[in-house]
């Protein structure tokens, strides 16, 4: 094990993404340290507790976020109000989003469970490197490989369904030319397919969904034509993943002590939950959140210039603005504002 | 593509976290992510067989070039990031969390990826 168990219970010193906020939040919201420690203690090797807390945090984040957005619409567009909205947004983000997706989801806490899983699998296949590697690969795949490789898997399905409809000739002609020159052939194929009486609803739904931008369809065709066999093998392999995991867990139950078996099972399910949480539950909030945050920060920088007569547009870092604003503004604020109003914001 | 561990190493260019082990030499291809999938696909199709994909982060669309590249290097991410998962699936050496690979490395530059140790070396021609 690379990471010692006692190390994961303390607020981290390093996380792999957004190290900036790790330090900023520690300083600005000291309660985050306690919150972190409570969270990791409650969820240690406990995927059920993790799932329950995530559900609560996610709900809390959404409620708070809606409240902040609503409040900002009703409040004035002056510098003080905008700054207040920004700080409230950070508070909600820190405790109900960042703590989950970054401080734990991308830090040593998450890596610890990957390590734990690996070390127990090594024990299970002590003299069998191949079985260990296959189990490791399968356990780290989680269910989301299918999502990540969707283009490749769907390309096989698409080609199979088109072949069924005697469109093989057109497909074969596409194979002979480079991907850049295939677009005309693909467009022809799409219109030929649409003329067919018996058309698979899934194929039709793909063509309909991307009728304004056909790039995703071209990608599917290219993958299906250039790498059909490889993608077919990938699909088979992914289909077998859950079978391998079930077999490994059954074997582990027989061979390992109940303590090790439970650690393996729980670390596997926790890793799965961590990825689902980070990439799906919270990942889906990203777009709405950062769109609002970006607009807000832009307004803050503009209003600053209007109210205080100082140009701080050099602080405009685009998408990464949310990392520094409002904290960095402190050193540019007039003394009067700092004394009278800024204190109230903290 | 060269995979011999005896290849002469140049100076260390970057360090990161190894997310899938392996040792390979290839030419860098920097891919800067754009949200428009049309432009992004175009960029990804430019990748030539045997190149090393260097990006800030990867996302599901990047899988369309995974059968051409020989390694993946990212600025961010970790053991459970998308690039790590995909590299494990395709058996590609990968190094995540280099912080600024897209700035330090240049498209066309020949480098040696030691994903056993998470180090990127300048490649020295024999």
């Amino acid at each position: 094990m690379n990471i010692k168990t006692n190390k994961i219970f303390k607020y981290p010193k390093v996380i792999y993404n957004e190290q900036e906020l790790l330090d900023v939040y520690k300083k600005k919201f000291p309660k985050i340290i306690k919150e972190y420690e409570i969270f990791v203690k409650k969820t240690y090797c406990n995927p059920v507790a993790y799932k329950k807390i995530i559900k609560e945090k996610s709900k809390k984040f959404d409620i708070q976020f809606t409240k902040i957005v609503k409040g900002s619409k009703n409040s004035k567009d002056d510098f003080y109000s905008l700054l207040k909205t920004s700080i409230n947004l950070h508070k909600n983000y820190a405790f109900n989003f960042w703590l989950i997706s970054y401080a734990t989801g991308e830090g040593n806490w998450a890596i610890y469970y990957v390590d734990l899983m690996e070390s127990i699998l090594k024990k299970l296949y002590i003299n069998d490197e191949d079985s260990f590697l296959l189990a490791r690969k399968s356990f780290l795949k989680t269910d989301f490989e299918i999502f990540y490789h969707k283009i490749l898997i769907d390309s096989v399905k698409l080609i199979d369904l088109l072949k069924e409809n005697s469109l093989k000739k057109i497909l074969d002609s596409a194979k002979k030319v480079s991907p850049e020159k295939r677009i005309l052939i693909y467009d022809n194929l799409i219109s030929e397919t649409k003329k067919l009486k018996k058309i698979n609803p899934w194929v039709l739904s793909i063509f309909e969904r991307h009728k304004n931008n056909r790039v995703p369809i071209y990608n599917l065709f290219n993958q299906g034509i250039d790498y059909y066999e490889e993608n077919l093998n990938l699909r088979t392999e992914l289909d077998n993943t859950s079978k391998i995991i079930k077999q490994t867990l059954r074997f582990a139950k027989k061979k390992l002590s109940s303590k090790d078996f439970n650690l393996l099972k729980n670390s596997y399910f926790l890793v799965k939950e961590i990825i689902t949480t980070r990439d799906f539950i919270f990942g889906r909030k990203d777009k709405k959140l950062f769109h609002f945050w970006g607009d807000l920060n832009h307004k803050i920088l503009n209003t600053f210039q209007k109210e205080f007569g100082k140009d701080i547009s050099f602080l405009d870092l685009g998408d990464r603005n949310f990392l520094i604003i409002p904290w960095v503004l402190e050193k540019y604020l007039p003394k009067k504002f700092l004394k009278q109003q800024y204190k109230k914001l903290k | 593509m060269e995979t011999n561990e005896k290849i002469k190493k140049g100076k260390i260019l970057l360090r990161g976290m190894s997310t899938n082990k392996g040792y390979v030499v290839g030419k860098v291809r920097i891919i800067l992510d754009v949200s428009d999938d049309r432009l992004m696909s175009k960029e990804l199709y430019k990748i030539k067989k045997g190149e090393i994909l260097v990006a800030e982060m990867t996302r599901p669309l990047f899988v369309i070039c995974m059968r051409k590249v020989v390694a993946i290097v990212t600025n961010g991410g970790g053991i459970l990031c998308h690039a790590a998962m995909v590299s494990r699936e395709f058996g590609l050496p990968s190094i995540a969390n280099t912080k600024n690979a897209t700035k330090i490395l240049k498209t066309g530059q020949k480098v040696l990826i030691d994903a056993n140790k998470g180090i990127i070396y300048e490649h020295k021609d024999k």
Side-chain angles (χ1 to χ4, degrees), chain A residues 76-94:
Chain A
K76 289 182 234 160
D77 258 4
D78 64 304
F79 182 75
Y80 176 81
S81 309
L82 292 171
L83 202 59
K84 195 176 169 189
T85 305
S86 177
I87 290 173
N88 286 338
L89 205 53
H90 265 288
K91 206 178 269 178
N92 186 29
Y93 180 70

Side-chain angles (χ1 to χ4, degrees), chain A residues 51-66:
Chain A
K51 217 171 164 177
K52 192 176 167 252
I53 298 178
I54 294 308
K55 212 174 161 186
E56 288 164 8
K57 289 265 183 203
S58 169
K59 203 175 162 190
K60 210 170 164 186
F61 176 83
D62 289 340
I63 293 170
Q64 289 292 330
F65 182 62
T66 313

